[in-house]
Amino acid sequence: MKTELQAILEYRLQQAEESIKEAEILFNTGGSFRSVINRSYYSMFYSVLALISQKGMGTSKHQGVLSIFDKEYVKTRIFPKEMSKLFHQAFSLRQECDYSEFSLITREETLEIMNGARNFIKKVSDYLKPEEKEKVQYKKK
């Protein structure tokens, strides 16, 4: 029987996967870079919500999620600083894209954020579900 926490973790990781798939579809079909940045950022945001839910923490503010990720997972060296830099960069670009009158985002920036988000989600998922990772490794042998 699933606990409430397990259900929340699965839901947040599912949101992250759906968001990055949306970003990839948009990018591959010529969608706006603004939308790709938005979906890529939210894929990371949802995966971090899963992380902080596991610790019984929460916040409704994006800056709070960024701060908790840095304090609880980057400063403690659970995740590398590069993940924090990517998360912050995606947040800034999303803010710029969503709220600035004029925003020029390059294809290269967009691709970097999207690919980074895919890797970000994998690392978070592997951390949250280590038993599944072991099962996959076991099946490969």
Side-chain angles (χ1 to χ4, degrees):
M1 187 166 158
K2 276 187 203 175
T3 66
E4 184 178 339
L5 177 59
Q6 288 171 320
I8 291 169
L9 295 178
E10 287 176 15
Y11 174 70
R12 290 299 187 192
L13 291 175
Q14 180 182 354
Q15 283 182 298
E17 271 301 317
E18 288 173 359
S19 295
I20 196 59
K21 285 178 184 174
E22 291 166 356
E24 292 165 346
I25 289 168
L26 285 164
F27 186 84
N28 292 327
T29 59
S32 76
F33 293 157
R34 180 189 64 77
S35 297
V36 175
I37 293 291
N38 180 286
R39 301 321 302 149
S40 297
Y41 165 74
Y42 272 100
S43 70
M44 291 184 273
F45 178 77
Y46 294 136
S47 65
V48 173
L49 286 180
L51 282 172
I52 66 177
S53 294
Q54 184 190 41
K55 285 196 172 215
M57 304 171 88
T59 179
S60 61
K61 307 269 185 201
H62 288 258
Q63 280 291 62
V65 173
L66 287 159
S67 177
I68 292 170
F69 179 70
D70 288 344
K71 181 181 175 190
E72 298 292 326
Y73 294 95
V74 178
K75 285 186 181 177
T76 58
R77 299 181 185 202
I78 293 170
F79 293 114
K81 288 181 184 179
E82 292 76 25
M83 285 178 69
S84 173
K85 289 178 187 175
L86 177 73
F87 193 26
H88 283 267
Q89 182 184 11
F91 174 72
S92 294
L93 284 173
R94 185 198 64 93
Q95 292 281 95
E96 181 183 328
C97 290
D98 286 353
Y99 302 112
S100 294
E101 284 80 21
F102 300 103
S103 178
L104 299 174
I105 305 297
T106 67
R107 182 182 196 285
E108 291 74 27
E109 284 176 307
T110 304
L111 187 59
E112 179 184 336
I113 295 293
M114 184 182 72
N115 289 337
R118 170 55 74 195
N119 189 43
F120 189 102
I121 295 165
K122 178 164 180 11
K123 287 180 179 179
V124 170
S125 183
D126 287 349
Y127 175 80
L128 289 172
K129 300 179 179 182
E131 68 284 350
E132 288 183 18
K133 184 178 177 186
E134 291 171 8
K135 289 177 189 174
V136 170
Q137 288 175 346
Y138 179 74
K139 287 179 183 177
K140 286 182 180 178
K141 290 183 179 180

